[in-house]
Amino acid sequence: MTAVLQTTPALEPVPGYRLSLRRFARNRLALAGLVAVVLFLLFCFVGPLIYSTDQTHTDLTQVNLAPSGAHLLGTDAVGHDELGRLMYGGKISLLVGLAAGVLATVIGTLWGAVAGYAGGWLDAVMMRIVDAGIAIPALFILLVVSAITTPDTLGLIVILGLVSWLVPSRLVRAETLTLKSRDYVLTLRAIGGSHGRAIGRHILPNSVSTIVVAATFQVADAILLVAYVSYLGLGVQPPSTDWGGMLSAGLTAAYSGRWWLIVPPGLAIILVVCAFNAIGDGLRDAFDVRGRG
Amino acid sequence: MSVLEIEDLGVTFSTETGDVPAVRDVSLHVRPGETLALVGESGSGKSTVALAAMGLLPGNARVSGRISVDGTPIVGADDRELSGLRGRTVSMVFQEPATALDPLTRVGAQIAEVVRNHRQVSRAEAARAAVDLLRRVGIPEPEHRASAFPFQLSGGQRQRVVIAMAIANSPGLLIADEPTTALDVTVQAEILDLLRALAADSGTGVLLVTHNMGVVADFADRVAVMLEGEVVETGTVEDVLLRPSHEYTRRLLAAVPRLAVDEPRGAGTAGEDPQEPEGSTSVVELRDVSVHFGRGRRTVRALQNVSLSVRPGETVGLVGESGSGKSTAARVALGLLRPDSGSVALFGNDLGRTRGRARRSLLSGVGVVLQDPVASLDARMSVAECVAEPLRVHRRGMTAVQRRERVAEVLELVRLPRGLAGRGPRELSGGQRQRVSLARALVLEPRLLVADEPTSALDVSVQRTVLEVIAELQGELGFACLFVSHDLAVVQEFAQRVVVMRAGSVEEEGPTMTTLLRPETEYTRRLIAAVPVPDPVLQRRRRVSLGLEASA
């Protein structure tokens, strides 16, 4: 048994990141997810440069047109080109989702690393705050906040970030607990190295895999959350919109057979969320050291 | 007829990074009642042979050749045949008793399950058989202990339970993979006695996989030495250990640290006490230090009124069994643990009262090497970054060029090529990693080196080179060393003074050659007696005299 574990690493020095990369590339689903996300980003951010449409002015002569050569996905109830709107809304969805996901991960990482590293009463207090936060549904907080104020894009990012950092903080704390008792951290402490150095140089870099995986799932969650909030009419306000808002606006049209107002944004949300989850899964497997060998 | 017959065994593992041949052309046999020791260093393939004999190799292994246990072929046998064999004809004792037992099942029930797997007996009969087995393996109050959970037993008792499970159906062959490596020496001696008695009583053949030559000398009848997947030498234990014919065996045996146990021939020279420079301040001194963990009824008293000191330039060996508090004492000396009472003086300054900048500069005089070669280095840093870390903490004024130069110097000091600086720790062997740790510890030219089991995870030949490097550098640089180890032989070679710890207190201390040859306390005497020496003739004599002592 020991022989199996010990012969392998000595065999051929493959750098860890390259092995991870190879594993990720071998995971078809994760690769497909990555491709899908890149395509969506191109579609939303580069697409409008090629397929330029007016998304600010209503055009009442062109309402509720079915897909045709002039409007590939038809038009909505106020005459916006639906394909253009999908790009325009996707920009907000992806931007808010990515930014909120990253923000949540950053807050969660710092919170979890400090709690785990400090230990003792500080850890207890910080983690009870997290427990309390998790007990309150994020959606509920979101609805209350959206009811009080009408958030702009930046506001939405901040709010989403502030309600969803709890899970990553738990993950990072658990990681920190194991890393802080590693011999190299002890050695650093024993020769007088600072706590900041221990966290910044050893603990965070070594939790990077956990953090990146958590971030991917956070982004998927955030995109879904934006969609919820906007669907309920509390997110980005018209004429601006996002995929959730488009779904909401198209809902009435569903009964009159105008599928092109519902299916594209719905599919876009599903695909992007699935894609991010697939990437997260792939990254987790790629980083998993235990599976190596 | 042999209970185990292996012919031309070859095992290759297919892994992500390609095929790894683990075992080539291995042929050996074990006769009933005989113990064959399979020895070799890590990676030699000895455990793979043991697992192959049980048919327990992982799915990525390809096996060629022939293995038969009691006449039944193992290679190519299907799962049902193998299950019928395992536990009845052949059973295995693993290294780590803590993970070999199910933590949620009472030990009696675990043994009874093994009995019922192969014999048609009622639950009550199986339970009775379990109690009998517990008695046979020397568990006191077996009726009572059968209802204990594994965590309620000590490590040695757990290993006894594992052995009870292994012999439950009187197998013809017992495979023991490092059965005593996880145990303290005194417990190891008891377990070896038990295994020896069982093998002698029931005529069971034993395949003993171990790296410990002392255990081999104590227990084996014949020895097979493995090197890089091949058996390079086979013979009786006397032949192999006393008159090795293969070059590798000779080198291996030469590297084994030997505990001097007989009265030394030149008693005058061996007993030479290090001259004690009276008056000079100790580099580190623990005064009446007590440490406890937890509170209330769960309090563990890790250290109780421990006092010890290390003087400039000397090496003090801190020895004791697991749980004796030796590592805790080292951590207190490093300021990683704050004592609940007592004080620590580092270079004459009270460590508990020094703060901030003063404390930092005090700690810059200390180097640390810890046990685990894997966990000691941050895998995300290069060797150069690892070694340079203390410089970044304490020599902030240094330029990158100066730092690189200093790192290269220290790497050469520990006999590593400069070119290693750019590599990752992952690419290094265990011995190289420990030398990188040593380089990091020495980069600030410390006055004190604290080494906590620096070589216990290494193979003996690697251990030898690492210890030699430390000793030579100590001669050149003159640092003092607090050397924590469970290995009395290593300490005897390496330390001028020794402090024996037991259950959180200092049992006795003195010059190494005095304390380890003519110990004052009964505990130290038992500790020394339990260490098997890698000489079968001498070891047999010691065992006999110990037996007489015990019966007297």
Side-chain angles (χ1 to χ4, degrees):
Chain A
M1 203 156 55
T2 47
V4 183
L5 294 174
Q6 283 159 358
T7 46
T8 325
L11 169 79
E12 183 194 329
V14 179
Y17 70 90
R18 210 181 293 167
L19 200 60
S20 298
L21 212 65
R22 213 188 287 173
R23 277 173 170 244
F24 186 82
R26 212 182 297 157
N27 187 335
R28 294 259 170 81
L29 197 63
L31 217 52
L34 188 63
V35 170
V37 166
V38 170
L39 287 181
F40 266 109
L41 285 173
L42 286 175
F43 173 74
C44 297
F45 290 89
V46 183
L49 304 178
I50 300 160
Y51 185 83
S52 155
T53 51
D54 183 356
Q55 296 292 336
T56 36
H57 302 100
T58 53
D59 182 355
L60 296 178
T61 61
Q62 304 276 319
V63 295
N64 294 332
L65 297 178
S68 66
H71 301 283
L72 288 177
L73 279 178
T75 60
D76 69 2
V78 288
H80 292 140
D81 177 83
E82 186 69 7
L83 183 61
R85 200 148 187 80
L86 203 58
M87 298 172 180
Y88 183 69
K91 229 195 257 183
I92 305 277
S93 277
L94 288 176
L95 189 72
V96 174
L98 280 168
V102 170
L103 180 66
T105 313
V106 169
I107 300 175
T109 298
L110 293 177
W111 190 275
V114 170
Y117 188 81
W121 64 268
L122 187 62
D123 177 37
V125 170
M126 288 175 84
M127 291 328 281
R128 289 307 79 73
I129 292 175
V130 171
D131 291 346
I134 282 178
I136 307 169
L139 200 58
F140 172 74
I141 302 176
L142 270 180
L143 293 182
V144 171
V145 173
S146 315
I148 299 168
T149 66
T150 327
D152 55 359
T153 312
L154 187 68
L156 205 59
I157 291 173
V158 172
I159 293 166
L160 283 175
L162 286 180
V163 297
S164 47
W165 57 272
L166 303 160
V167 173
S169 83
R170 277 188 171 174
L171 292 174
V172 173
R173 171 180 174 268
E175 191 79 19
T176 306
L177 282 182
T178 62
L179 288 173
K180 78 167 175 184
S181 58
R182 286 281 163 87
D183 285 356
Y184 50 77
V185 178
L186 289 182
T187 308
L188 175 71
R189 298 289 310 139
I191 59 149
S194 64
H195 294 297
R197 189 171 184 86
I199 295 185
R201 294 285 297 175
H202 294 294
I203 291 177
L204 287 185
N206 277 292
S207 356
V208 139
S209 53
T210 309
I211 295 170
V212 168
V213 172
T216 328
F217 290 123
Q218 282 307 312
V219 170
D221 280 1
I223 290 173
L224 217 50
L225 266 183
V226 191
Y228 280 152
V229 180
S230 301
Y231 178 80
L232 295 171
L234 303 164
V236 225
Q237 297 304 313
S240 194
T241 190
D242 76 314
W243 289 338
M246 289 170 70
L247 267 186
S248 168
L251 192 64
T252 46
Y255 301 107
S256 33
R258 293 197 286 275
W259 58 268
W260 60 89
L261 299 184
I262 294 285
V263 176
L267 268 182
I269 294 172
I270 293 172
L271 280 177
V272 168
V273 171
C274 286
F276 272 108
N277 276 309
I279 294 176
D281 273 338
L283 285 176
R284 186 164 49 200
D285 293 347
F287 284 132
D288 185 10
V289 185
R290 275 164 303 169
R292 241 171 237 174
Chain B
M1 162 105 188
S2 302
V3 279
L4 173 68
E5 190 92 52
I6 296 179
E7 271 173 54
D8 302 326
L9 177 70
V11 180
T12 303
F13 292 104
S14 46
T15 70
E16 243 176 300
T17 46
D19 279 3
V20 187
V23 169
R24 275 184 308 269
D25 298 329
V26 166
S27 298
L28 41 89
H29 63 272
V30 179
R31 282 186 288 267
E34 174 193 62
T35 297
L36 173 71
L38 201 53
V39 302
E41 297 188 288
S42 52
S44 63
K46 54 189 194 303
S47 289
T48 307
V49 171
L51 287 176
M54 287 289 285
L56 280 176
L57 288 172
N60 64 340
R62 285 198 311 277
V63 184
S64 63
R66 219 175 56 80
I67 303 175
S68 68
V69 170
D70 222 9
T72 317
I74 298 286
V75 178
D78 64 31
D79 259 358
R80 248 207 7 236
E81 287 175 79
L82 286 175
S83 312
L85 222 56
R86 291 183 200 134
R88 194 178 57 194
T89 319
V90 49
S91 31
M92 188 144 185
V93 176
F94 289 98
Q95 174 171 349
E96 186 48 75
T99 51
L101 295 172
D102 177 351
L104 295 179
T105 310
R106 295 172 197 277
V107 294
Q110 296 192 46
I111 301 173
E113 190 190 335
V114 178
V115 173
R116 278 166 61 86
N117 277 346
H118 293 286
R119 279 190 265 156
Q120 300 296 320
V121 291
S122 71
R123 267 168 207 287
E125 279 174 82
R128 265 199 305 280
V131 171
D132 281 344
L133 283 161
L134 285 175
R135 185 174 297 120
R136 263 184 82 194
V137 296
I139 300 261
E141 302 174 49
E143 295 84 358
H144 179 66
R145 287 301 167 88
S147 59
F149 286 101
F151 75 87
Q152 294 169 312
L153 304 178
S154 69
Q157 286 177 327
R158 275 185 226 150
Q159 195 63 317
R160 284 171 192 269
V161 172
V162 172
I163 291 170
M165 287 168 71
I167 61 166
N169 296 305
S170 323
L173 174 65
L174 191 65
I175 298 177
D177 189 354
E178 304 273 8
T180 57
T181 306
L183 307 173
D184 282 324
V185 274
T186 50
V187 183
Q188 161 170 294
E190 292 167 14
I191 295 290
L192 289 176
D193 280 341
L194 170 65
L195 284 173
R196 195 182 305 112
L198 290 172
D201 289 353
S202 54
T204 306
V206 180
L207 178 64
L208 172 74
V209 177
T210 184
H211 69 283
N212 187 328
M213 292 298 176
V215 170
V216 174
D218 193 43
F219 186 26
D221 302 307
R222 286 193 307 121
V223 183
V225 183
M226 287 192 72
L227 168 67
E228 290 168 9
E230 289 174 71
V231 172
V232 294
E233 179 165 3
T234 320
T236 64
V237 66
E238 288 85 1
D239 280 344
V240 175
L241 293 195
L242 298 179
R243 297 173 290 278
S245 62
H246 194 276
E247 164 62 24
Y248 172 72
T249 317
R250 243 172 282 160
R251 257 194 296 134
L252 194 63
L253 285 168
V256 175
R258 278 156 204 268
L259 184 70
V261 283
D262 276 346
E263 289 295 316
R265 281 154 292 274
T269 54
E272 187 186 344
D273 294 355
Q275 54 276 55
E276 295 182 14
E278 288 300 332
S280 67
T281 44
S282 304
V283 277
V284 66
E285 184 170 8
L286 271 59
R287 278 186 228 104
D288 274 332
V289 167
S290 295
V291 170
H292 51 78
F293 298 119
R295 38 183 101 118
R297 285 171 60 198
R298 289 216 180 150
T299 305
V300 177
R301 302 202 172 283
L303 292 181
Q304 294 170 61
N305 303 322
V306 168
S307 298
L308 60 90
S309 69
V310 182
R311 288 185 284 264
E314 79 168 341
T315 299
V316 174
L318 196 53
V319 301
E321 298 192 282
S322 51
S324 62
K326 53 190 193 304
S327 284
T328 310
R331 269 160 208 211
V332 171
L334 289 168
L336 286 172
L337 269 178
R338 186 175 287 277
D340 293 301
S341 68
S343 66
V344 185
L346 193 58
F347 312 123
N349 298 285
D350 189 333
L351 195 59
R353 297 231 186 98
T354 332
R355 297 261 183 287
R357 194 172 285 243
R359 183 185 168 92
R360 277 235 320 274
S361 80
L362 211 55
L363 289 172
S364 72
V366 183
V368 191
V369 178
L370 298 178
Q371 174 175 3
D372 187 343
V374 178
S376 285
L377 304 173
D378 189 335
R380 289 190 183 267
M381 292 183 163
S382 69
V383 166
E385 285 173 317
C386 288
V387 176
E389 185 155 54
L391 296 175
R392 286 183 181 276
V393 172
H394 290 291
R395 304 269 188 279
R396 299 220 178 126
M398 251 185 164
T399 65
V401 180
Q402 288 172 317
R403 238 190 342 255
R404 201 174 320 138
E405 195 41 45
R406 177 67 190 141
V407 167
E409 266 172 42
V410 199
L411 283 179
E412 272 176 10
L413 218 51
V414 297
R415 321 262 185 284
L416 286 174
R418 280 167 178 245
L420 228 55
R423 303 280 198 84
R426 224 185 264 277
E427 301 170 53
L428 309 184
S429 69
Q432 286 176 323
R433 285 178 202 221
Q434 283 305 68
R435 277 189 279 165
V436 171
S437 282
L438 184 61
R440 176 178 56 191
L442 297 180
V443 75
L444 291 173
E445 299 181 337
R447 293 154 66 196
L448 171 68
L449 177 72
V450 177
D452 188 353
E453 304 267 10
T455 58
S456 57
L458 306 176
D459 282 322
V460 280
S461 58
V462 183
Q463 160 170 299
R464 165 118 338 216
T465 52
V466 172
L467 289 175
E468 275 168 8
V469 169
I470 298 182
E472 277 179 46
L473 290 177
Q474 197 175 12
E476 282 170 42
L477 307 173
F479 52 82
C481 182
L482 180 61
F483 189 86
V484 181
S485 178
H486 71 282
D487 191 332
L488 295 178
V490 168
V491 170
Q492 197 181 45
E493 267 184 28
F494 199 64
Q496 284 103 46
R497 275 200 311 129
V498 59
V499 177
V500 183
M501 292 197 63
R502 177 197 188 183
S505 342
V506 173
E507 181 79 6
E508 74 173 288
E509 63 174 298
T512 307
M513 280 308 169
T514 314
T515 303
L516 292 187
L517 286 180
R518 292 179 288 280
E520 279 164 19
T521 61
E522 182 53 35
Y523 174 75
T524 313
R525 216 166 295 146
R526 264 197 294 131
L527 202 61
I528 294 167
V531 179
V533 294
D535 176 334
V537 180
L538 178 58
Q539 178 60 19
R540 215 164 292 150
R541 213 163 52 225
R542 292 178 75 209
R543 207 159 64 213
V544 170
S545 72
L546 275 180
L548 290 178
E549 210 172 278
S551 60

